[in-house]
Amino acid sequence: MIPDLLENAISSSDSINFVLSIGGVAVFFPSFEYLAMVWNHWKSTGLFARLHAVKPVFKEPRTATALAEIMQAYTKAVSKKRGACIACVIGGKLSEGINFTDDLARAVVIIGLPYPNVYSAFMKEKLNYLEKHFGNRSGGQRFCEALCMRSVNQAIGRSIRHAKDYAVVFLMDQRFINNRRLRQLLPSWAQNALKPLPSQLETLKQEMIAFFARTSIDAN
């Protein structure tokens, strides 16, 4: 599970501290329910305290009033040396209506895939229509994948807002490796840059040092 993955990673403090230290980090979850589950896990295991020791951690609220306050606090925290991390929801306001320009998101983490609820009335009707007219379930599957990846791409796009903007993006789901169609639905620039996550955090650290050294020079 993702909470266990993060807990194992955080034990390598030097490497993970670097990964988390660059400006703002936006972590996108597939739903508010899953975010709440992971958030509670972080709290109960002490992982939240360890993350917070690296940089302040914020969570996307459900209400618009609270959202404005959280974003103000997050933006202020990012401007300081430690930066900040914010946990968001794909399909929420932060993934669709807020721009994480420049240092507001130098890293984006996509956790899981936000597939639509196939049991909703709309999806049942749509999938029945596709199956009726195309004679198999592949049309419905591709439709679900397209909806899912549209939301993923919107979240990724929050961090790249102008020609000289840059960010590192982590796609934390095995299905990006196993499903070629999902990879093909990513933006072309993301497809070209896609590579497996290294097994050693130290390797990741060195790759990120090189990436930020190169991109920060190009952006100036």
Side-chain angles (χ1 to χ4, degrees):
M1 293 179 64
I2 290 298
D4 297 324
L5 173 66
L6 291 175
E7 190 160 7
N8 291 335
I10 207 73
S11 63
S12 180
S13 58
D14 289 342
S15 295
I16 204 68
N17 282 359
F18 178 83
V19 172
L20 292 174
S21 66
I22 33 86
V25 178
V27 184
F28 289 94
F29 292 83
S31 67
F32 277 104
E33 291 73 21
Y34 190 63
L35 169 55
M37 184 193 77
V38 174
W39 192 266
N40 291 335
H41 177 85
W42 287 352
K43 292 272 191 172
S44 65
T45 60
L47 180 57
F48 181 87
R50 281 179 279 168
L51 288 169
H52 202 74
V54 178
K55 58 174 56 188
V57 183
F58 300 87
K59 181 174 69 169
E60 178 178 357
R62 289 180 179 267
T63 65
T65 303
L67 180 64
E69 296 175 356
I70 290 293
M71 279 306 298
Q72 184 177 17
Y74 173 73
T75 301
K76 183 178 180 180
V78 168
S79 67
K80 298 181 180 179
K81 184 177 181 180
R82 288 200 302 159
C85 177
I86 187 164
C88 317
V89 174
I90 294 179
K93 294 185 182 301
L94 292 182
S95 73
E96 298 180 353
I98 301 294
N99 293 333
F100 289 89
T101 308
D102 298 327
D103 282 348
L104 286 180
R106 289 305 184 199
V108 174
V109 184
I110 305 293
I111 295 179
L113 287 168
Y115 276 97
N117 178 12
V118 296
Y119 299 105
S120 70
F122 168 77
M123 287 301 297
K124 283 183 177 180
E125 287 294 327
K126 187 66 176 180
L127 295 177
N128 286 337
Y129 172 85
L130 291 171
E131 185 174 352
K132 178 180 178 181
H133 285 77
F134 293 96
N136 55 55
R137 295 182 180 274
S138 63
Q141 182 179 358
R142 290 174 184 268
F143 177 70
C144 290
E145 289 173 347
L147 287 180
C148 170
M149 290 305 298
R150 183 176 66 182
S151 296
V152 168
N153 291 337
Q154 283 180 325
I156 293 174
R158 295 300 93 199
S159 65
I160 309 295
R161 305 310 302 168
H162 57 81
K164 292 188 176 182
D165 210 352
Y166 59 91
V168 60
V169 178
F170 296 96
L171 303 174
M172 305 294 287
D173 196 291
Q174 188 71 21
R175 286 169 288 187
F176 282 110
I177 296 176
N178 300 334
N179 191 329
R180 185 176 66 176
R181 288 200 305 271
L182 291 180
R183 298 195 299 272
Q184 292 174 335
L185 291 172
L186 287 166
S188 57
W189 63 265
Q191 292 183 45
N192 295 334
L194 201 61
K195 60 188 300 185
L197 197 66
S199 58
Q200 299 296 322
L201 282 173
E202 182 59 30
T203 303
L204 174 61
K205 174 182 175 179
Q206 295 305 320
E207 290 182 357
M208 290 183 65
I209 288 174
F211 170 79
F212 284 110
R214 181 176 66 255
T215 51
S216 60
I217 291 174
D218 293 342
N220 294 326

